[in-house]
Amino acid sequence: MKSKFLDFSNFKGDLTGGLVAGVVALPLALAFGVQSGMGATAGLYGAIMVGVFAALFGGTPSQASGPTGPMTVVSASLVLGATQLTGSLESAMGIILLSFLLGGALQIFFGLINIAGYVKYFPYSVVSGFMSGVGLIIIILQLFPFVGLSSAKTTFGVIKDLPRLFSDFNAHALILGVITVITYFVFPYITKVIPSALMALVVATVANYFLGWDVPVIGEIPSGLPSLQIGTMFSKIPSDAAILIFEYAVVLAVLGSIDSLLTSVIADNMTKTRHNSNRELLGQGIGNMMAAIFGGIPGAGATKGTVVNINAGGKTKLSGTIHGLFLLAVLLGLGTITAYIPLSVLAGLLIPIGFNIIDTKGLKHLIRIPRADAVVLVLVLLITTFGSLIQAVGLGIALACILFMKNASDIGEKGISMGTIEDLKDEKPWQDELPLYNQFKDKVLIKHLKGPLFFGFTTYLKNQVANMNDDNIQVLIIRMDEVPLIDQSGLYALEDIIFDLEKRGIKVFFVNLQKQPLDILRSIYIIPNLVKETQVFKTIEEAFDYLKTYLKA
């Protein structure tokens, strides 16, 4: 049964998926709320509003949305800046919520003017550096709460105050934090039925309740429905706050869009469907505006929640809606219980999340990527971590465009070569491809890629494949022998190419994928969901042996 917004044909799966995603989101919403500086309540309000409205109006049916690490770090930076400007959090709430509201409105604008397809092609160096910086910020700012102490609001402040970390720490809070981290990592080896984050939260909180230790806790969370904050939003806004509001709104809108669309791609590859990018931004924008109206922090598509939703059977937007409504039920019924959660326990949840956000694979390959790209990544990482988030994004984009676009484009376009096996007059075949010539003629197309697949030539790459107009082609072999690295934009381009070819009945084979490309293709489930493991070969000879059976069949 279908209604205008919801499809009930998969009700059982959507109910299970939504409840599981909600359970996963609960401890993270509380933790992100505290991290933002607005309190656990704001995290829960944001998770409810973004979860429900992004699901109802978004373009990725199986996506679960809510507060995420990157969005929370930007929100925390905004809270700090607004508080410094006005003198107190209460006085700053108008600036903060208006920034959230405008950020959501900008996302809606992005969707309406059809630029969602371009937002996700941000240069990898900027995205990697920013995300890694965000991960470091989360880790650094949670060091003091992890041991039961109040923390400075900036990374520099924390570093200057490090001696106090070792002299004044609360041993009981530290023990609870360690219990949380250990449970978070060990519990999945016991069972995956219950999310490890929730189990870690429950185990450490219950232990503290019965032991009666004196450690900092969340405190009382208001029960009942959240109240409208429209009056707060448009009152007492200093005239000199306009630039601050606009700058953070832009960063939240762009970052939230990138974060959400990356999660949408993961959902696509797990469900073998295609999301609507522009509609997804509309939904995310509406969700973030509703979060602001009710005093919550903004969010985006949450990768972990989306993955568990799909794995538990969620397929339609009903699952994401149920995920948000579950959190609302928690707010109405369990608000008094959450007051006993120690802050060191939330820190114990956030620190592993910080490490997960850091792009370790990107950092490992710094010496292999073009020098200009490595410089951009490191600069953005350092400025994000120890400077201004606004400056980090602005400088990163400028440097990436100036130093990198032309170089990456030149490398890519010179390295792209393509032709049917029957007609190799304009392109010299590689020696190991000759045996295939007489056997299969025009049934197979071989594409050689040379150099890194980077931002700057992905459109050219997609246009090359789009020009394939031979109806006899059944297989495209992409040779990756000389591709050391794929960035986020190259990844999206490959995904679009594979989807389009699948619609035309053309299978894609990969040959000789190097470690980084193989890892990143698996990280968003292109392998094995779009390209099966049996279609990935170490050598061209293995591909040819498989082709003999495949084409005859």
Side-chain angles (χ1 to χ4, degrees):
M1 182 178 70
K2 293 184 179 181
S3 66
K4 185 176 180 180
F5 287 111
L6 298 175
D7 177 359
F8 292 90
S9 61
N10 185 52
F11 179 75
K12 183 178 179 181
D14 288 334
L15 177 63
T16 304
L19 291 176
V20 172
V23 169
V24 169
L26 174 60
L28 301 183
L30 297 171
F32 286 138
V34 172
Q35 167 90 32
S36 73
M38 295 174 62
T41 307
L44 204 50
Y45 290 173
I48 293 166
M49 296 304 164
V50 178
V52 171
F53 288 96
L56 286 175
F57 298 99
T60 312
S62 55
Q63 182 133 291
S65 301
T68 64
M71 293 292 279
T72 302
V73 167
V74 176
S75 299
S77 178
L78 167 62
V79 170
L80 177 61
T83 303
Q84 290 174 340
L85 185 65
T86 61
S88 69
L89 177 60
E90 184 179 357
S91 301
M93 284 303 292
I95 296 174
I96 295 166
L97 295 180
L98 191 56
S99 300
F100 294 165
L101 186 78
L102 181 57
L106 285 174
Q107 284 185 291
I108 294 174
F109 178 68
F110 290 166
L112 290 175
I113 64 173
N114 197 31
I115 65 169
Y118 299 98
V119 170
K120 65 182 182 182
Y121 288 109
F122 259 56
Y124 175 76
S125 53
V126 176
V127 175
S128 176
F130 189 83
M131 291 299 185
S132 295
V134 163
L136 284 173
I137 290 173
I138 290 175
I139 295 167
I140 293 171
L141 293 184
Q142 291 304 314
L143 291 176
F144 279 82
F146 189 74
V147 298
L149 299 175
S150 59
S151 175
K153 301 300 182 183
T154 65
T155 51
F156 266 127
V158 171
I159 292 172
K160 289 179 181 178
D161 201 24
L162 275 179
R164 187 168 66 92
L165 187 72
F166 301 98
S167 61
D168 299 344
F169 69 90
N170 182 321
H172 291 157
L174 175 60
I175 292 171
L176 293 173
V178 171
I179 290 173
T180 303
V181 173
I182 292 174
T183 307
Y184 182 88
F185 284 111
V186 173
F187 194 73
Y189 293 100
I190 300 173
T191 179
K192 294 184 178 179
V193 175
I194 302 174
S196 63
L198 180 65
M199 181 54 64
L201 181 76
V202 171
V203 168
T205 302
V206 170
N208 181 65
Y209 181 80
F210 285 105
L211 290 170
W213 286 343
D214 183 17
V215 297
V217 296
I218 288 180
E220 186 178 354
I221 293 180
S223 59
L225 296 172
S227 57
L228 292 172
Q229 300 294 321
I230 296 176
T232 303
M233 215 177 292
F234 294 99
S235 65
K236 301 179 182 178
I237 304 292
S239 57
D240 55 349
I243 295 177
L244 180 72
I245 292 171
F246 181 74
E247 285 179 341
Y248 276 97
V250 170
V251 173
L252 286 168
V254 173
L255 180 61
S257 300
I258 294 173
D259 210 2
S260 297
L261 293 177
L262 178 58
T263 305
S264 295
V265 170
I266 293 173
D268 285 351
N269 295 333
M270 291 185 69
T271 60
K272 295 188 178 180
T273 58
R274 291 297 293 271
H275 72 277
N276 183 321
S277 295
N278 290 306
R279 185 169 178 178
E280 181 60 32
L281 295 195
L282 287 172
Q284 293 293 333
I286 292 170
N288 283 325
M289 290 186 74
M290 292 301 295
I293 290 171
F294 285 96
I297 61 174
T303 301
K304 190 169 185 178
T306 300
V307 170
V308 299
N309 177 36
I310 294 170
N311 287 337
K315 291 183 179 180
T316 77
K317 58 180 64 179
L318 179 63
S319 60
T321 306
I322 291 172
H323 140 262
L325 293 176
F326 169 80
L327 295 173
L328 177 60
V330 169
L331 173 67
L332 296 176
L334 301 177
T336 55
I337 296 176
T338 56
Y340 295 101
I341 298 173
L343 295 181
S344 61
V345 172
L346 296 183
L349 294 176
L350 287 170
I351 289 173
I353 290 173
F355 279 107
N356 288 336
I357 292 173
I358 295 174
D359 183 14
T360 53
K361 292 177 182 177
L363 295 176
K364 283 180 183 177
H365 291 92
L366 271 178
I367 60 174
R368 298 180 61 192
I369 64 177
R371 184 177 301 174
D373 195 68
V375 169
V376 169
L377 193 156
V378 172
L379 279 176
V380 173
L381 188 156
L382 292 175
I383 297 173
T384 299
T385 307
F386 301 108
S388 163
L389 296 174
I390 305 293
Q391 293 172 357
V393 174
L395 178 65
I397 294 172
L399 286 175
C401 292
I402 295 171
L403 298 178
F404 179 72
M405 187 183 292
K406 186 177 185 304
N407 290 338
S409 181
D410 290 344
I411 290 172
E413 292 187 19
K414 290 177 182 176
I416 293 176
S417 54
M418 188 167 177
T420 59
I421 295 178
E422 188 180 37
D423 185 10
L424 292 169
K425 294 178 183 178
D426 297 328
E427 176 195 352
K428 291 184 179 180
W430 291 3
Q431 191 66 31
D432 55 5
E433 294 167 4
L434 290 174
L436 193 65
Y437 170 71
N438 289 322
Q439 192 166 2
F440 297 117
K441 297 188 181 296
D442 271 352
K443 292 182 180 179
V444 177
L445 192 80
I446 294 183
K447 183 172 183 57
H448 307 111
L449 298 181
K450 301 176 185 178
L453 266 63
F454 273 125
F455 165 71
F457 75 94
T458 52
T459 301
Y460 181 89
L461 173 64
K462 291 171 67 176
N463 289 340
Q464 285 275 306
V465 176
N467 289 332
M468 291 170 49
N469 52 14
D470 190 339
D471 294 335
N472 294 319
I473 297 296
Q474 298 179 36
V475 174
L476 171 65
I477 297 177
I478 302 180
R479 296 205 60 169
M480 307 284 284
D481 308 59
E482 299 181 20
V483 179
L485 196 76
I486 301 177
D487 84 341
Q488 185 169 315
S489 56
L491 194 65
Y492 283 130
L494 280 178
E495 189 217 16
D496 287 343
I497 288 168
I498 295 167
F499 260 122
D500 292 340
L501 292 176
E502 284 282 339
K503 287 181 179 179
R504 295 159 59 183
I506 300 173
K507 294 294 181 183
V508 174
F509 293 177
F510 285 120
V511 173
N512 198 16
L513 278 164
Q514 298 186 41
K515 188 177 187 308
Q516 191 275 346
L518 180 61
D519 287 344
I520 199 169
L521 286 168
R522 281 179 172 155
S523 71
I524 67 164
Y525 302 96
I526 288 180
I527 298 175
N529 289 17
L530 290 186
V531 178
K532 296 179 181 178
E533 293 284 358
T534 55
Q535 295 167 218
V536 179
F537 306 94
K538 292 183 178 179
T539 66
I540 194 69
E541 289 79 13
E542 291 180 6
F544 289 171
D545 289 341
Y546 183 84
L547 271 174
K548 293 173 185 177
T549 304
Y550 176 78
L551 291 179
K552 286 180 181 178

